[in-house]
């Protein structure tokens, strides 16, 4: 997911923050670094984002839209190619986990960072809603409606994401994910 930093000042700031927040986290990324990397003035920055918290929330909304679109399109394509649900799900995750820019789930990461922020509950709500939208996407494309199965499926997916983020071998992570999905989704 490469971001293009052309466009309005507000877009440049948001896209720069997206890349930095995702790569380093929002605690470790200062406003001055974002201003420098976006090549905007402080006045321009604060005109569009009066506080860092405003930018954090905008980043999470942007990241959600970007990722959910990618997930929907990739899973739909994989379902068409694979015609076997476990392989389609693990294939979709495999594409993401192997991206050079992969740094885990931005929403799991944001939840871990949220407690020190004034907007912690708002961040956590956005993160929960992101996971619910991922579930809705899976339901829409697969027809899985069983809440217990969906809950277990999301735990498998989140576990795979975390294991890859910790530096475990992606091939092994995907193999284990696929085994778990096959067992869970066996008729």
């Amino acid at each position: 997911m490469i971001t293009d930093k052309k466009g309005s000042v507000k877009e440049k700031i948001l896209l720069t923050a997206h890349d930095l927040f995702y790569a380093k986290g929002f605690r470790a990324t200062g406003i001055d670094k974002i201003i420098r990397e976006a090549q905007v003035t402080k006045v321009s920055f604060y005109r569009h984002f009066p506080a860092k918290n405003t930018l954090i929330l905008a980043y999470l909304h942007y990241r959600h839209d970007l990722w959910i679109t990618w997930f929907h399109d990739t899973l739909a394509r994989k379902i068409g190619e694979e015609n076997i649900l476990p392989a389609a799900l693990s294939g979709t995750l495999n594409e993401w986990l192997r991206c050079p820019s992969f740094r885990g789930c931005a929403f799991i990461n944001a939840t871990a960072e949220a407690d020190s922020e004034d907007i912690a509950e708002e961040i956590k709500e956005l993160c929960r809603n992101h996971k619910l939208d991922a579930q809705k996407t899976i339901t829409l494309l697969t027809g899985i409606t069983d809440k217990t199965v969906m809950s277990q499926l999301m735990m498998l997916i989140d576990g795979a994401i975390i294991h890859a983020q910790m530096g475990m071998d992606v091939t092994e992570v995907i193999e284990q994910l696929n085994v778990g999905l096959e067992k869970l989704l066996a008729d």
Side-chain angles (χ1 to χ4, degrees):
M1 288 180 249
I2 297 171
T3 53
D4 179 11
K5 294 185 183 79
K6 295 178 184 171
S8 73
V9 170
K10 185 175 185 176
E11 288 170 331
K12 283 173 61 174
I13 294 167
L14 180 58
L15 296 176
T16 300
H18 170 271
D19 293 349
L20 292 170
F21 286 167
Y22 183 63
K24 305 289 183 193
F26 47 78
R27 275 193 212 159
T29 304
I31 296 299
D32 289 338
K33 179 153 181 80
I34 295 168
I35 290 169
R36 209 171 30 256
E37 299 258 336
Q39 300 178 343
V40 299
T41 65
K42 279 191 180 193
V43 171
S44 293
F45 176 88
Y46 286 109
R47 182 179 307 126
H48 295 288
F49 298 99
K52 185 177 181 180
N53 286 345
T54 308
L55 183 56
I56 291 169
L57 295 174
Y59 153 71
L60 290 171
H61 284 287
Y62 175 76
R63 179 69 186 189
H64 170 76
D65 293 342
L66 185 70
W67 193 88
I68 283 292
T69 299
W70 171 85
F71 183 64
H72 176 277
D73 294 349
T74 305
L75 182 57
R77 178 175 45 83
K78 290 288 184 184
I79 288 171
E81 292 171 1
E82 302 291 344
N83 207 21
I84 301 168
L85 186 53
L89 280 165
S90 60
T92 297
L93 269 285
N94 186 47
E95 279 191 26
W96 181 40
L97 302 182
R98 291 187 186 280
C99 285
S101 63
F102 175 77
R103 299 292 178 268
C105 173
F107 299 89
I108 293 172
N109 297 345
T111 299
E113 288 192 84
D115 286 335
S116 68
E117 301 298 322
D118 295 337
I119 53 171
E121 285 310 311
E122 197 168 351
I123 289 170
K124 289 178 182 179
E125 182 179 353
L126 281 170
C127 295
R128 286 188 300 269
N129 288 337
H130 171 76
K131 294 298 179 178
L132 289 173
D133 283 351
Q135 288 180 23
K136 289 175 188 174
T137 300
I138 294 168
T139 296
L140 175 71
L141 295 173
T142 67
I144 298 172
T145 57
D146 185 298
K147 289 181 181 185
T148 301
V149 170
M150 187 58 72
S151 178
Q152 292 169 351
L153 189 144
M154 292 305 294
M155 295 283 274
L156 286 169
I157 290 171
D158 284 342
I161 293 166
I162 291 167
H163 280 120
Q165 185 177 4
M166 292 187 309
M168 296 178 80
D169 180 65
V170 173
T171 300
E172 186 177 322
V173 169
I174 293 300
E175 286 173 4
Q176 292 304 313
L177 173 62
N178 202 44
V179 168
L181 291 169
E182 286 174 356
K183 288 180 181 178
L184 178 63
L185 300 174
D187 291 326

